[in-house]
mmCIF file of all heavy atoms in Angstrom:
data_model
loop_
_atom_site.group_PDB
_atom_site.id
_atom_site.type_symbol
_atom_site.label_atom_id
_atom_site.label_comp_id
_atom_site.label_asym_id
_atom_site.label_seq_id
_atom_site.Cartn_x
_atom_site.Cartn_y
_atom_site.Cartn_z
ATOM 1 N N MET A 28 55.203 -26.629 -6.010
ATOM 2 C CA MET A 28 54.435 -26.613 -4.780
ATOM 3 C C MET A 28 54.012 -25.193 -4.416
ATOM 4 O O MET A 28 52.900 -24.982 -3.964
ATOM 5 C CB MET A 28 55.286 -27.250 -3.672
ATOM 6 C CG MET A 28 54.557 -27.439 -2.378
ATOM 7 S SD MET A 28 53.259 -28.664 -2.593
ATOM 8 C CE MET A 28 52.702 -28.820 -0.946
ATOM 9 N N LYS A 29 54.911 -24.220 -4.626
ATOM 10 C CA LYS A 29 54.559 -22.837 -4.311
ATOM 11 C C LYS A 29 53.448 -22.333 -5.210
ATOM 12 O O LYS A 29 52.570 -21.607 -4.762
ATOM 13 C CB LYS A 29 55.779 -21.917 -4.438
ATOM 14 C CG LYS A 29 56.692 -21.951 -3.265
ATOM 15 C CD LYS A 29 57.746 -20.869 -3.394
ATOM 16 C CE LYS A 29 58.554 -20.800 -2.132
ATOM 17 N NZ LYS A 29 59.506 -19.691 -2.152
ATOM 18 N N LYS A 30 53.493 -22.724 -6.506
ATOM 19 C CA LYS A 30 52.447 -22.288 -7.429
ATOM 20 C C LYS A 30 51.098 -22.842 -6.998
ATOM 21 O O LYS A 30 50.093 -22.146 -7.054
ATOM 22 C CB LYS A 30 52.765 -22.734 -8.853
ATOM 23 C CG LYS A 30 53.770 -21.890 -9.549
ATOM 24 C CD LYS A 30 53.877 -22.295 -11.006
ATOM 25 C CE LYS A 30 54.831 -21.370 -11.725
ATOM 26 N NZ LYS A 30 54.882 -21.652 -13.152
ATOM 27 N N LEU A 31 51.087 -24.087 -6.556
ATOM 28 C CA LEU A 31 49.842 -24.700 -6.126
ATOM 29 C C LEU A 31 49.309 -24.006 -4.887
ATOM 30 O O LEU A 31 48.108 -23.721 -4.796
ATOM 31 C CB LEU A 31 50.055 -26.195 -5.854
ATOM 32 C CG LEU A 31 48.809 -26.977 -5.454
ATOM 33 C CD1 LEU A 31 47.766 -26.916 -6.564
ATOM 34 C CD2 LEU A 31 49.160 -28.414 -5.152
ATOM 35 N N SER A 32 50.167 -23.691 -3.943
ATOM 36 C CA SER A 32 49.739 -22.994 -2.727
ATOM 37 C C SER A 32 49.182 -21.620 -3.064
ATOM 38 O O SER A 32 48.158 -21.201 -2.529
ATOM 39 C CB SER A 32 50.903 -22.849 -1.753
ATOM 40 O OG SER A 32 51.367 -24.106 -1.349
ATOM 41 N N PHE A 33 49.884 -20.882 -3.943
ATOM 42 C CA PHE A 33 49.429 -19.554 -4.342
ATOM 43 C C PHE A 33 48.091 -19.641 -5.061
ATOM 44 O O PHE A 33 47.199 -18.833 -4.819
ATOM 45 C CB PHE A 33 50.481 -18.894 -5.232
ATOM 46 C CG PHE A 33 50.087 -17.525 -5.692
ATOM 47 C CD1 PHE A 33 50.058 -16.467 -4.799
ATOM 48 C CD2 PHE A 33 49.728 -17.306 -7.006
ATOM 49 C CE1 PHE A 33 49.685 -15.212 -5.215
ATOM 50 C CE2 PHE A 33 49.355 -16.056 -7.432
ATOM 51 C CZ PHE A 33 49.331 -14.999 -6.535
ATOM 52 N N LEU A 34 47.941 -20.633 -5.921
ATOM 53 C CA LEU A 34 46.695 -20.809 -6.659
ATOM 54 C C LEU A 34 45.545 -21.113 -5.698
ATOM 55 O O LEU A 34 44.466 -20.531 -5.817
ATOM 56 C CB LEU A 34 46.849 -21.934 -7.680
ATOM 57 C CG LEU A 34 45.633 -22.223 -8.543
ATOM 58 C CD1 LEU A 34 45.282 -21.015 -9.393
ATOM 59 C CD2 LEU A 34 45.892 -23.428 -9.425
ATOM 60 N N CYS A 35 45.773 -21.996 -4.749
ATOM 61 C CA CYS A 35 44.729 -22.333 -3.770
ATOM 62 C C CYS A 35 44.350 -21.122 -2.931
ATOM 63 O O CYS A 35 43.167 -20.870 -2.681
ATOM 64 C CB CYS A 35 45.187 -23.471 -2.871
ATOM 65 S SG CYS A 35 45.280 -25.047 -3.719
ATOM 66 N N LEU A 36 45.346 -20.358 -2.504
ATOM 67 C CA LEU A 36 45.088 -19.160 -1.713
ATOM 68 C C LEU A 36 44.320 -18.130 -2.532
ATOM 69 O O LEU A 36 43.385 -17.498 -2.039
ATOM 70 C CB LEU A 36 46.405 -18.569 -1.211
ATOM 71 C CG LEU A 36 46.311 -17.360 -0.304
ATOM 72 C CD1 LEU A 36 45.568 -17.713 0.976
ATOM 73 C CD2 LEU A 36 47.697 -16.849 0.030
ATOM 74 N N SER A 37 44.686 -17.969 -3.788
ATOM 75 C CA SER A 37 43.992 -17.021 -4.668
ATOM 76 C C SER A 37 42.541 -17.434 -4.879
ATOM 77 O O SER A 37 41.634 -16.599 -4.804
ATOM 78 C CB SER A 37 44.693 -16.934 -6.020
ATOM 79 O OG SER A 37 45.992 -16.456 -5.866
ATOM 80 N N LEU A 38 42.315 -18.688 -5.151
ATOM 81 C CA LEU A 38 40.948 -19.167 -5.352
ATOM 82 C C LEU A 38 40.105 -19.015 -4.093
ATOM 83 O O LEU A 38 38.950 -18.612 -4.154
ATOM 84 C CB LEU A 38 40.957 -20.628 -5.806
ATOM 85 C CG LEU A 38 41.411 -20.875 -7.232
ATOM 86 C CD1 LEU A 38 41.506 -22.374 -7.509
ATOM 87 C CD2 LEU A 38 40.462 -20.213 -8.212
ATOM 88 N N PHE A 39 40.701 -19.297 -2.957
ATOM 89 C CA PHE A 39 39.993 -19.150 -1.681
ATOM 90 C C PHE A 39 39.617 -17.688 -1.457
ATOM 91 O O PHE A 39 38.493 -17.376 -1.067
ATOM 92 C CB PHE A 39 40.870 -19.660 -0.528
ATOM 93 C CG PHE A 39 40.213 -19.566 0.812
ATOM 94 C CD1 PHE A 39 39.154 -20.395 1.131
ATOM 95 C CD2 PHE A 39 40.648 -18.647 1.748
ATOM 96 C CE1 PHE A 39 38.538 -20.309 2.377
ATOM 97 C CE2 PHE A 39 40.043 -18.551 2.988
ATOM 98 C CZ PHE A 39 38.983 -19.390 3.296
ATOM 99 N N GLY A 40 40.555 -16.781 -1.734
ATOM 100 C CA GLY A 40 40.286 -15.353 -1.573
ATOM 101 C C GLY A 40 39.204 -14.869 -2.516
ATOM 102 O O GLY A 40 38.352 -14.069 -2.141
ATOM 103 N N LEU A 41 39.231 -15.360 -3.748
ATOM 104 C CA LEU A 41 38.221 -14.941 -4.718
ATOM 105 C C LEU A 41 36.837 -15.458 -4.358
ATOM 106 O O LEU A 41 35.831 -14.814 -4.649
ATOM 107 C CB LEU A 41 38.610 -15.416 -6.116
ATOM 108 C CG LEU A 41 39.781 -14.668 -6.743
ATOM 109 C CD1 LEU A 41 40.162 -15.331 -8.063
ATOM 110 C CD2 LEU A 41 39.434 -13.221 -6.960
ATOM 111 N N MET A 42 36.762 -16.611 -3.730
ATOM 112 C CA MET A 42 35.464 -17.143 -3.321
ATOM 113 C C MET A 42 34.877 -16.346 -2.158
ATOM 114 O O MET A 42 33.664 -16.201 -2.055
ATOM 115 C CB MET A 42 35.598 -18.609 -2.929
ATOM 116 C CG MET A 42 35.775 -19.522 -4.091
ATOM 117 S SD MET A 42 35.855 -21.211 -3.506
ATOM 118 C CE MET A 42 36.728 -21.972 -4.833
ATOM 119 N N LEU A 43 35.743 -15.825 -1.297
ATOM 120 C CA LEU A 43 35.256 -15.073 -0.143
ATOM 121 C C LEU A 43 34.870 -13.642 -0.503
ATOM 122 O O LEU A 43 33.973 -13.070 0.111
ATOM 123 C CB LEU A 43 36.317 -15.042 0.964
ATOM 124 C CG LEU A 43 36.558 -16.360 1.686
ATOM 125 C CD1 LEU A 43 37.667 -16.203 2.707
ATOM 126 C CD2 LEU A 43 35.294 -16.834 2.372
ATOM 127 N N LEU A 44 35.550 -13.052 -1.460
ATOM 128 C CA LEU A 44 35.300 -11.670 -1.816
ATOM 129 C C LEU A 44 34.370 -11.582 -3.019
ATOM 130 O O LEU A 44 34.422 -12.407 -3.913
ATOM 131 C CB LEU A 44 36.620 -10.977 -2.174
ATOM 132 C CG LEU A 44 37.677 -10.891 -1.087
ATOM 133 C CD1 LEU A 44 38.959 -10.330 -1.657
ATOM 134 C CD2 LEU A 44 37.188 -10.039 0.056
ATOM 135 N N THR A 45 33.529 -10.546 -3.015
ATOM 136 C CA THR A 45 32.761 -10.291 -4.233
ATOM 137 C C THR A 45 33.702 -9.620 -5.223
ATOM 138 O O THR A 45 34.803 -9.218 -4.881
ATOM 139 C CB THR A 45 31.566 -9.365 -3.940
ATOM 140 O OG1 THR A 45 32.066 -8.108 -3.505
ATOM 141 C CG2 THR A 45 30.654 -9.962 -2.886
ATOM 142 N N SER A 46 33.274 -9.471 -6.439
ATOM 143 C CA SER A 46 34.165 -8.917 -7.461
ATOM 144 C C SER A 46 34.583 -7.491 -7.130
ATOM 145 O O SER A 46 35.736 -7.114 -7.320
ATOM 146 C CB SER A 46 33.509 -8.983 -8.835
ATOM 147 O OG SER A 46 32.303 -8.230 -8.832
ATOM 148 N N CYS A 47 33.682 -6.679 -6.618
ATOM 149 C CA CYS A 47 34.027 -5.287 -6.285
ATOM 150 C C CYS A 47 35.033 -5.242 -5.140
ATOM 151 O O CYS A 47 35.963 -4.430 -5.160
ATOM 152 C CB CYS A 47 32.781 -4.499 -5.905
ATOM 153 S SG CYS A 47 31.676 -4.216 -7.295
ATOM 154 N N GLU A 48 34.853 -6.079 -4.153
ATOM 155 C CA GLU A 48 35.790 -6.117 -3.026
ATOM 156 C C GLU A 48 37.156 -6.607 -3.473
ATOM 157 O O GLU A 48 38.178 -6.103 -3.016
ATOM 158 C CB GLU A 48 35.257 -7.017 -1.913
ATOM 159 C CG GLU A 48 34.083 -6.426 -1.173
ATOM 160 C CD GLU A 48 33.502 -7.415 -0.172
ATOM 161 O OE1 GLU A 48 33.476 -8.625 -0.477
ATOM 162 O OE2 GLU A 48 33.070 -6.966 0.899
ATOM 163 N N ALA A 49 37.185 -7.569 -4.387
ATOM 164 C CA ALA A 49 38.463 -8.083 -4.884
ATOM 165 C C ALA A 49 39.212 -6.990 -5.633
ATOM 166 O O ALA A 49 40.409 -6.795 -5.425
ATOM 167 C CB ALA A 49 38.227 -9.292 -5.785
ATOM 168 N N ILE A 50 38.522 -6.251 -6.495
ATOM 169 C CA ILE A 50 39.148 -5.171 -7.255
ATOM 170 C C ILE A 50 39.630 -4.079 -6.309
ATOM 171 O O ILE A 50 40.731 -3.543 -6.456
ATOM 172 C CB ILE A 50 38.173 -4.598 -8.306
ATOM 173 C CG1 ILE A 50 37.802 -5.657 -9.327
ATOM 174 C CG2 ILE A 50 38.744 -3.372 -8.978
ATOM 175 C CD1 ILE A 50 38.967 -6.204 -10.120
ATOM 176 N N GLU A 51 38.825 -3.748 -5.309
ATOM 177 C CA GLU A 51 39.211 -2.721 -4.333
ATOM 178 C C GLU A 51 40.482 -3.132 -3.589
ATOM 179 O O GLU A 51 41.389 -2.321 -3.400
ATOM 180 C CB GLU A 51 38.073 -2.505 -3.335
ATOM 181 C CG GLU A 51 38.394 -1.474 -2.276
ATOM 182 C CD GLU A 51 37.289 -1.345 -1.242
ATOM 183 O OE1 GLU A 51 36.318 -2.125 -1.275
ATOM 184 O OE2 GLU A 51 37.414 -0.462 -0.385
ATOM 185 N N THR A 52 40.570 -4.388 -3.196
ATOM 186 C CA THR A 52 41.752 -4.891 -2.491
ATOM 187 C C THR A 52 42.987 -4.821 -3.379
ATOM 188 O O THR A 52 44.061 -4.418 -2.926
ATOM 189 C CB THR A 52 41.514 -6.337 -2.031
ATOM 190 O OG1 THR A 52 40.332 -6.376 -1.231
ATOM 191 C CG2 THR A 52 42.678 -6.860 -1.234
ATOM 192 N N ILE A 53 42.840 -5.185 -4.641
ATOM 193 C CA ILE A 53 43.960 -5.152 -5.580
ATOM 194 C C ILE A 53 44.453 -3.724 -5.753
ATOM 195 O O ILE A 53 45.657 -3.455 -5.714
ATOM 196 C CB ILE A 53 43.552 -5.767 -6.934
ATOM 197 C CG1 ILE A 53 43.357 -7.271 -6.780
ATOM 198 C CG2 ILE A 53 44.581 -5.457 -8.012
ATOM 199 C CD1 ILE A 53 42.685 -7.936 -7.956
ATOM 200 N N PHE A 54 43.538 -2.764 -5.910
ATOM 201 C CA PHE A 54 43.946 -1.381 -6.100
ATOM 202 C C PHE A 54 44.570 -0.787 -4.845
ATOM 203 O O PHE A 54 45.503 0.009 -4.924
ATOM 204 C CB PHE A 54 42.777 -0.524 -6.580
ATOM 205 C CG PHE A 54 42.558 -0.610 -8.059
ATOM 206 C CD1 PHE A 54 41.475 -1.280 -8.575
ATOM 207 C CD2 PHE A 54 43.466 -0.039 -8.933
ATOM 208 C CE1 PHE A 54 41.284 -1.374 -9.939
ATOM 209 C CE2 PHE A 54 43.285 -0.126 -10.302
ATOM 210 C CZ PHE A 54 42.189 -0.791 -10.804
ATOM 211 N N LYS A 55 44.063 -1.160 -3.667
ATOM 212 C CA LYS A 55 44.675 -0.673 -2.421
ATOM 213 C C LYS A 55 46.100 -1.181 -2.295
ATOM 214 O O LYS A 55 47.001 -0.433 -1.937
ATOM 215 C CB LYS A 55 43.859 -1.114 -1.205
ATOM 216 C CG LYS A 55 42.641 -0.280 -0.957
ATOM 217 C CD LYS A 55 41.942 -0.730 0.297
ATOM 218 C CE LYS A 55 40.680 0.059 0.535
ATOM 219 N NZ LYS A 55 39.983 -0.399 1.742
ATOM 220 N N ALA A 56 46.310 -2.448 -2.581
ATOM 221 C CA ALA A 56 47.658 -3.016 -2.511
ATOM 222 C C ALA A 56 48.557 -2.348 -3.538
ATOM 223 O O ALA A 56 49.702 -2.006 -3.241
ATOM 224 C CB ALA A 56 47.616 -4.523 -2.733
ATOM 225 N N GLY A 57 48.056 -2.126 -4.735
ATOM 226 C CA GLY A 57 48.830 -1.474 -5.779
ATOM 227 C C GLY A 57 49.205 -0.052 -5.405
ATOM 228 O O GLY A 57 50.318 0.399 -5.656
ATOM 229 N N MET A 58 48.259 0.662 -4.789
ATOM 230 C CA MET A 58 48.532 2.033 -4.383
ATOM 231 C C MET A 58 49.645 2.068 -3.341
ATOM 232 O O MET A 58 50.581 2.863 -3.449
ATOM 233 C CB MET A 58 47.268 2.673 -3.805
ATOM 234 C CG MET A 58 47.479 4.103 -3.331
ATOM 235 S SD MET A 58 46.066 4.779 -2.445
ATOM 236 C CE MET A 58 46.101 3.841 -0.944
ATOM 237 N N TRP A 59 49.574 1.192 -2.348
ATOM 238 C CA TRP A 59 50.598 1.194 -1.302
ATOM 239 C C TRP A 59 51.951 0.778 -1.843
ATOM 240 O O TRP A 59 52.978 1.335 -1.476
ATOM 241 C CB TRP A 59 50.178 0.313 -0.128
ATOM 242 C CG TRP A 59 49.188 1.038 0.729
ATOM 243 C CD1 TRP A 59 47.868 0.741 0.879
ATOM 244 C CD2 TRP A 59 49.434 2.214 1.512
ATOM 245 N NE1 TRP A 59 47.287 1.653 1.703
ATOM 246 C CE2 TRP A 59 48.221 2.567 2.120
ATOM 247 C CE3 TRP A 59 50.566 2.995 1.750
ATOM 248 C CZ2 TRP A 59 48.106 3.676 2.951
ATOM 249 C CZ3 TRP A 59 50.447 4.099 2.589
ATOM 250 C CH2 TRP A 59 49.234 4.423 3.172
ATOM 251 N N TRP A 60 51.989 -0.202 -2.732
ATOM 252 C CA TRP A 60 53.269 -0.595 -3.342
ATOM 253 C C TRP A 60 53.845 0.542 -4.165
ATOM 254 O O TRP A 60 55.053 0.791 -4.155
ATOM 255 C CB TRP A 60 53.114 -1.847 -4.198
ATOM 256 C CG TRP A 60 53.264 -3.089 -3.398
ATOM 257 C CD1 TRP A 60 52.278 -3.970 -3.077
ATOM 258 C CD2 TRP A 60 54.454 -3.577 -2.783
ATOM 259 N NE1 TRP A 60 52.787 -4.968 -2.301
ATOM 260 C CE2 TRP A 60 54.123 -4.762 -2.103
ATOM 261 C CE3 TRP A 60 55.762 -3.118 -2.731
ATOM 262 C CZ2 TRP A 60 55.051 -5.492 -1.396
ATOM 263 C CZ3 TRP A 60 56.694 -3.850 -2.020
ATOM 264 C CH2 TRP A 60 56.347 -5.023 -1.366
ATOM 265 N N GLY A 61 52.984 1.270 -4.872
ATOM 266 C CA GLY A 61 53.442 2.412 -5.651
ATOM 267 C C GLY A 61 54.041 3.495 -4.775
ATOM 268 O O GLY A 61 55.084 4.073 -5.104
ATOM 269 N N ILE A 62 53.393 3.774 -3.651
ATOM 270 C CA ILE A 62 53.909 4.781 -2.719
ATOM 271 C C ILE A 62 55.245 4.339 -2.152
ATOM 272 O O ILE A 62 56.201 5.123 -2.100
ATOM 273 C CB ILE A 62 52.884 5.047 -1.594
ATOM 274 C CG1 ILE A 62 51.667 5.765 -2.162
ATOM 275 C CG2 ILE A 62 53.512 5.849 -0.463
ATOM 276 C CD1 ILE A 62 50.508 5.873 -1.205
ATOM 277 N N ILE A 63 55.344 3.093 -1.731
ATOM 278 C CA ILE A 63 56.595 2.580 -1.145
ATOM 279 C C ILE A 63 57.729 2.635 -2.163
ATOM 280 O O ILE A 63 58.841 3.069 -1.852
ATOM 281 C CB ILE A 63 56.385 1.150 -0.609
ATOM 282 C CG1 ILE A 63 55.477 1.184 0.614
ATOM 283 C CG2 ILE A 63 57.716 0.483 -0.280
ATOM 284 C CD1 ILE A 63 54.977 -0.169 1.067
ATOM 285 N N VAL A 64 57.460 2.226 -3.399
ATOM 286 C CA VAL A 64 58.498 2.232 -4.431
ATOM 287 C C VAL A 64 58.916 3.664 -4.766
ATOM 288 O O VAL A 64 60.110 3.954 -4.900
ATOM 289 C CB VAL A 64 58.011 1.484 -5.699
ATOM 290 C CG1 VAL A 64 58.931 1.716 -6.869
ATOM 291 C CG2 VAL A 64 57.886 0.001 -5.397
ATOM 292 N N ALA A 65 57.954 4.577 -4.871
ATOM 293 C CA ALA A 65 58.273 5.970 -5.186
ATOM 294 C C ALA A 65 59.128 6.600 -4.092
ATOM 295 O O ALA A 65 60.128 7.272 -4.383
ATOM 296 C CB ALA A 65 56.992 6.775 -5.392
ATOM 297 N N VAL A 66 58.762 6.386 -2.839
ATOM 298 C CA VAL A 66 59.546 6.922 -1.724
ATOM 299 C C VAL A 66 60.944 6.313 -1.720
ATOM 300 O O VAL A 66 61.940 7.004 -1.489
ATOM 301 C CB VAL A 66 58.825 6.678 -0.378
ATOM 302 C CG1 VAL A 66 59.720 6.966 0.813
ATOM 303 C CG2 VAL A 66 57.569 7.529 -0.305
ATOM 304 N N GLY A 67 61.039 5.031 -1.997
ATOM 305 C CA GLY A 67 62.344 4.371 -2.050
ATOM 306 C C GLY A 67 63.235 4.933 -3.149
ATOM 307 O O GLY A 67 64.419 5.195 -2.930
ATOM 308 N N ILE A 68 62.675 5.146 -4.328
ATOM 309 C CA ILE A 68 63.451 5.684 -5.445
ATOM 310 C C ILE A 68 63.902 7.113 -5.144
ATOM 311 O O ILE A 68 65.059 7.469 -5.381
ATOM 312 C CB ILE A 68 62.640 5.620 -6.757
ATOM 313 C CG1 ILE A 68 62.488 4.160 -7.189
ATOM 314 C CG2 ILE A 68 63.288 6.447 -7.855
ATOM 315 C CD1 ILE A 68 61.558 3.959 -8.354
ATOM 316 N N ILE A 69 63.006 7.926 -4.604
ATOM 317 C CA ILE A 69 63.375 9.296 -4.240
ATOM 318 C C ILE A 69 64.467 9.288 -3.175
ATOM 319 O O ILE A 69 65.420 10.069 -3.235
ATOM 320 C CB ILE A 69 62.138 10.084 -3.778
ATOM 321 C CG1 ILE A 69 61.212 10.325 -4.976
ATOM 322 C CG2 ILE A 69 62.528 11.412 -3.143
ATOM 323 C CD1 ILE A 69 59.854 10.867 -4.609
ATOM 324 N N GLY A 70 64.361 8.389 -2.200
ATOM 325 C CA GLY A 70 65.383 8.271 -1.170
ATOM 326 C C GLY A 70 66.738 7.899 -1.731
ATOM 327 O O GLY A 70 67.767 8.469 -1.352
ATOM 328 N N VAL A 71 66.764 6.968 -2.668
ATOM 329 C CA VAL A 71 68.033 6.557 -3.289
ATOM 330 C C VAL A 71 68.631 7.704 -4.094
ATOM 331 O O VAL A 71 69.843 7.958 -4.030
ATOM 332 C CB VAL A 71 67.828 5.300 -4.173
ATOM 333 C CG1 VAL A 71 69.039 5.029 -5.052
ATOM 334 C CG2 VAL A 71 67.519 4.094 -3.304
ATOM 335 N N ILE A 72 67.802 8.435 -4.830
ATOM 336 C CA ILE A 72 68.298 9.573 -5.617
ATOM 337 C C ILE A 72 68.879 10.642 -4.693
ATOM 338 O O ILE A 72 69.964 11.169 -4.942
ATOM 339 C CB ILE A 72 67.176 10.136 -6.516
ATOM 340 C CG1 ILE A 72 66.854 9.144 -7.635
ATOM 341 C CG2 ILE A 72 67.570 11.488 -7.100
ATOM 342 C CD1 ILE A 72 65.632 9.496 -8.442
ATOM 343 N N LEU A 73 68.163 10.974 -3.616
ATOM 344 C CA LEU A 73 68.675 11.961 -2.657
ATOM 345 C C LEU A 73 69.968 11.489 -2.017
ATOM 346 O O LEU A 73 70.900 12.270 -1.827
ATOM 347 C CB LEU A 73 67.622 12.263 -1.589
ATOM 348 C CG LEU A 73 66.395 13.032 -2.075
ATOM 349 C CD1 LEU A 73 65.371 13.148 -0.954
ATOM 350 C CD2 LEU A 73 66.795 14.404 -2.584
ATOM 351 N N TRP A 74 70.043 10.216 -1.691
ATOM 352 C CA TRP A 74 71.264 9.661 -1.092
ATOM 353 C C TRP A 74 72.425 9.768 -2.068
ATOM 354 O O TRP A 74 73.539 10.129 -1.679
ATOM 355 C CB TRP A 74 71.024 8.209 -0.689
ATOM 356 C CG TRP A 74 72.240 7.538 -0.156
ATOM 357 C CD1 TRP A 74 72.849 7.745 1.054
ATOM 358 C CD2 TRP A 74 73.017 6.543 -0.829
ATOM 359 N NE1 TRP A 74 73.944 6.937 1.170
ATOM 360 C CE2 TRP A 74 74.069 6.186 0.040
ATOM 361 C CE3 TRP A 74 72.927 5.907 -2.045
ATOM 362 C CZ2 TRP A 74 75.014 5.222 -0.323
ATOM 363 C CZ3 TRP A 74 73.855 4.957 -2.389
ATOM 364 C CH2 TRP A 74 74.890 4.641 -1.523
ATOM 365 N N LEU A 75 72.191 9.461 -3.333
ATOM 366 C CA LEU A 75 73.245 9.558 -4.349
ATOM 367 C C LEU A 75 73.720 11.000 -4.523
ATOM 368 O O LEU A 75 74.917 11.263 -4.644
ATOM 369 C CB LEU A 75 72.776 8.990 -5.686
ATOM 370 C CG LEU A 75 72.652 7.468 -5.756
ATOM 371 C CD1 LEU A 75 71.995 7.061 -7.075
ATOM 372 C CD2 LEU A 75 73.999 6.809 -5.599
ATOM 373 N N PHE A 76 72.784 11.968 -4.549
ATOM 374 C CA PHE A 76 73.166 13.368 -4.682
ATOM 375 C C PHE A 76 73.956 13.855 -3.471
ATOM 376 O O PHE A 76 74.949 14.559 -3.604
ATOM 377 C CB PHE A 76 71.945 14.254 -4.903
ATOM 378 C CG PHE A 76 71.470 14.286 -6.334
ATOM 379 C CD1 PHE A 76 70.149 14.028 -6.642
ATOM 380 C CD2 PHE A 76 72.353 14.558 -7.365
ATOM 381 C CE1 PHE A 76 69.716 14.051 -7.950
ATOM 382 C CE2 PHE A 76 71.916 14.593 -8.693
ATOM 383 C CZ PHE A 76 70.592 14.334 -8.983
ATOM 384 N N SER A 77 73.521 13.466 -2.273
ATOM 385 C CA SER A 77 74.230 13.916 -1.073
ATOM 386 C C SER A 77 75.608 13.253 -0.988
ATOM 387 O O SER A 77 76.570 13.851 -0.513
ATOM 388 C CB SER A 77 73.420 13.599 0.186
ATOM 389 O OG SER A 77 73.319 12.206 0.384
ATOM 390 N N ARG A 78 75.724 12.054 -1.474
ATOM 391 C CA ARG A 78 77.009 11.345 -1.480
ATOM 392 C C ARG A 78 77.978 12.000 -2.462
ATOM 393 O O ARG A 78 79.167 12.110 -2.205
ATOM 394 C CB ARG A 78 76.766 9.885 -1.874
ATOM 395 C CG ARG A 78 77.971 9.016 -1.782
ATOM 396 C CD ARG A 78 77.576 7.577 -2.038
ATOM 397 N NE ARG A 78 78.780 6.837 -2.307
ATOM 398 C CZ ARG A 78 78.895 5.853 -3.163
ATOM 399 N NH1 ARG A 78 77.833 5.463 -3.826
ATOM 400 N NH2 ARG A 78 80.027 5.238 -3.348
ATOM 401 N N GLY A 79 77.454 12.469 -3.599
ATOM 402 C CA GLY A 79 78.269 13.125 -4.609
ATOM 403 C C GLY A 79 78.792 14.477 -4.151
ATOM 404 O O GLY A 79 79.901 14.877 -4.498
ATOM 405 N N LYS A 80 78.028 15.196 -3.360
ATOM 406 C CA LYS A 80 78.465 16.501 -2.871
ATOM 407 C C LYS A 80 79.548 16.390 -1.827
ATOM 408 O O LYS A 80 80.385 17.279 -1.695
ATOM 409 C CB LYS A 80 77.256 17.271 -2.290
ATOM 410 C CG LYS A 80 76.298 17.733 -3.346
ATOM 411 C CD LYS A 80 75.151 18.506 -2.733
ATOM 412 C CE LYS A 80 74.182 18.942 -3.814
ATOM 413 N NZ LYS A 80 73.057 19.673 -3.261
ATOM 414 N N ASN A 81 79.574 15.322 -1.063
ATOM 415 C CA ASN A 81 80.581 15.146 -0.013
ATOM 416 C C ASN A 81 81.935 14.770 -0.592
ATOM 417 O O ASN A 81 82.969 15.012 0.015
ATOM 418 C CB ASN A 81 80.140 14.073 0.987
ATOM 419 C CG ASN A 81 78.958 14.542 1.820
ATOM 420 O OD1 ASN A 81 78.729 15.734 1.950
ATOM 421 N ND2 ASN A 81 78.215 13.601 2.361
ATOM 422 N N SER A 82 81.973 14.187 -1.759
ATOM 423 C CA SER A 82 83.242 13.713 -2.335
ATOM 424 C C SER A 82 84.039 14.818 -2.978
ATOM 425 O O SER A 82 83.629 15.715 -3.562
ATOM 426 C CB SER A 82 82.979 12.630 -3.371
ATOM 427 O OG SER A 82 82.400 11.522 -2.744
#
């Protein structure tokens, strides 16, 4: 059921957007996810280093 819902939503989105707008949306989402993941990884590394110095 989830696959069907996702497929319907994807098809609906593709019908509303032109190809350039669809690609732009995908890259914007990818850029933000990349930034969030990078900040998260850096935060975890800093937390691990600061935790190691206190012990």
Side-chain angles (χ1 to χ4, degrees):
M28 187 67 174
K29 280 188 173 185
K30 281 188 176 185
L31 183 61
S32 298
F33 180 71
L34 181 62
C35 290
L36 183 62
S37 298
L38 287 174
F39 181 70
L41 288 174
M42 286 182 203
L43 289 178
L44 298 173
T45 63
S46 60
C47 291
E48 288 174 324
I50 297 299
E51 179 184 6
T52 304
I53 290 168
F54 277 108
K55 281 183 182 179
M58 179 188 70
W59 281 111
W60 273 110
I62 291 170
I63 291 169
V64 168
V66 169
I68 290 172
I69 291 170
V71 168
I72 290 171
L73 291 175
W74 176 72
L75 287 172
F76 278 128
S77 66
R78 186 174 164 216
K80 289 181 181 179
N81 291 338
S82 296

